Amino acid sequence: DGRVAATCAAGGLVLLHGVKTGEETARIAVRGIPLKLAFSPDGRRLLVAGRALVADAYDRLWTFDAATGKTLG
């Protein structure tokens, strides 16, 4: 919906920012290295693709509520 922007940050973090103000609105910690981000068409969900932090690192997808940063799956 264009109101929230997401960025990957060091330490397995995804940061959510208000587009108008640039202020950070949420920090999402993933158990891995976030590499790609995509919002659902309605802007309500954020999909994070990355690499899990385990000995035999594997690809992983995480789904979050884009407004709150809460884990959905």
Side-chain angles (χ1 to χ4, degrees), residues 49-60:
R51 184 131 331 231
L53 292 179
V54 293
D56 59 342
Y58 57 91
D59 294 334
R60 173 81 200 256

Side-chain angles (χ1 to χ4, degrees), residues 3-73:
R3 292 183 283 170
V4 178
T7 58
C8 296
L13 290 176
V14 174
L15 306 177
L16 300 180
H17 302 271
V19 171
K20 286 186 181 180
T21 66
E23 290 184 34
E24 184 180 305
T25 59
R27 282 181 175 229
I28 301 169
V30 298
R31 291 184 172 225
I33 302 166
L35 299 172
K36 297 190 183 230
L37 308 171
F39 286 97
S40 62
D42 64 5
R44 296 175 64 184
R45 292 178 190 85
L46 175 65
L47 181 67
V48 178
R51 184 131 331 231
L53 292 179
V54 293
D56 59 342
Y58 57 91
D59 294 334
R60 173 81 200 256
L61 294 174
W62 297 274
T63 307
F64 300 94
D65 181 292
T68 67
K70 289 184 181 180
T71 303
L72 300 175

